[in-house]
Amino acid sequence: GIQVEQSPPDLILQEGANSTLRCNFSDSVNNLQWFHQNPWGQLINLFYIPSGTKQNGRLSATTVATERYSLLYISSSQTTDSGVYFCAVRETSGSRLTFGEGTQLTVNP
Amino acid sequence: NAGVTQTPKFQVLKTGQSMTLQCAQDMNHEYMSWYRQDPGMGLRLIHYSVGAGITDQGEVPNGYNVSRSTTEDFPLRLLSAAPSQTSVYFCASRIGQGNEQFFGPGTRLTVL
């Protein structure tokens, strides 16, 4: 099956800093999503982005499907951004969403 | 819309007991699925359904049963709970192939 690798596994920032999270995948996809799992365990949809670039406030994402990677940018980080960020993909030929192992982000005040 | 709802939020079972985790969605989504999340890991697919009356196995199906009698509901059954099934369970739905998937709030299950 498709492999999904996220980097870095852990990231510690000071409030106000910017960061880039990366997601590499091993096969063609027709769906790529970024999620934020908050400290209470809720999975929050950030972006549905199988290709192209999207922005939502301080967050933006870019997927280059031909090169099999996606980037999540967080600008002017806040303590409420803390949590785990997951990338999940669905193969063009499949029906299941495969998750990476996540990036644990800690934003200190 | 309530989105994807799950009950209960928390459950403690003894080894060998059975129970059903409930999942419902009010978005008329065709696809529904169950995932489990173990500590420090991403989510893994247990079972999924592409429509009423149709179900299939995911990555980790052993010990779980599902059925899909209506579009709205997709219950997950544990027939004989084992400590290895201690996990957080998420239900998800989407409207069709390749579309955005939405997750419920999760059920935290502990098997003693």
Side-chain angles (χ1 to χ4, degrees):
Chain A
I2 193 167
Q3 303 298 311
V4 182
E5 294 182 355
Q6 291 186 242
S7 60
D10 298 280
L11 186 59
I12 301 174
L13 301 174
Q14 288 299 120
E15 202 167 23
N18 302 328
S19 62
T20 301
L21 281 59
R22 187 177 179 101
C23 172
N24 292 335
F25 45 95
S26 61
D27 208 341
S28 301
V29 300
N30 63 11
N31 180 7
L32 188 145
Q33 292 183 238
W34 283 98
F35 297 91
H36 176 213
Q37 188 166 40
N38 63 22
W40 296 270
Q42 287 182 299
L43 277 168
I44 300 165
N45 287 35
L46 296 178
F47 293 103
Y48 168 67
I49 187 165
S51 64
T53 297
K54 291 185 178 180
Q55 180 154 8
N56 184 3
R58 297 181 295 103
L59 274 61
S60 63
T62 295
T63 297
V64 183
T66 53
E67 297 187 20
R68 299 180 182 169
Y69 73 89
S70 182
L71 302 174
L72 178 68
Y73 305 96
I74 304 174
S75 65
S76 304
S77 58
Q78 301 175 357
T79 56
T80 52
D81 294 332
S82 296
V84 183
Y85 289 80
F86 287 105
C87 168
V89 304
R90 181 176 303 111
E91 299 173 76
T92 303
S93 60
S95 60
R96 65 184 66 179
L97 204 60
T98 300
F99 281 73
E101 294 194 352
T103 292
Q104 175 76 57
L105 175 65
T106 303
V107 181
N108 293 321
Chain B
N1 285 352
V4 181
T5 59
Q6 293 183 235
T7 56
K9 292 184 179 180
F10 302 94
Q11 183 71 48
V12 179
L13 294 177
K14 294 181 179 179
T15 297
Q17 286 185 313
S18 63
M19 79 159 297
T20 300
L21 307 185
Q22 301 292 344
C23 174
Q25 52 89 14
D26 60 358
M27 300 174 282
N28 202 31
H29 285 177
E30 296 175 335
Y31 288 71
M32 296 186 73
S33 49
W34 277 100
Y35 293 78
R36 61 178 286 173
Q37 184 181 27
D38 298 310
M41 298 179 66
L43 280 68
R44 293 183 294 167
L45 182 65
I46 304 171
H47 285 286
Y48 65 98
S49 169
V50 301
I54 306 169
T55 63
D56 205 346
Q57 295 182 349
E59 183 183 357
V60 287
N62 292 341
Y64 308 96
N65 278 355
V66 293
S67 60
R68 183 96 178 270
S69 57
T70 67
T71 299
E72 294 78 19
D73 300 298
F74 190 43
L76 178 72
R77 297 182 187 86
L78 284 70
L79 301 179
S80 178
S84 60
Q85 294 178 304
T86 294
S87 189
V88 180
Y89 292 84
F90 289 94
C91 180
S93 74
R94 71 179 193 271
I95 195 165
Q97 179 71 354
N99 290 96
E100 186 175 7
Q101 189 148 306
F102 297 90
F103 284 81
T107 294
R108 188 173 295 273
L109 175 68
T110 301
V111 183
L112 304 175

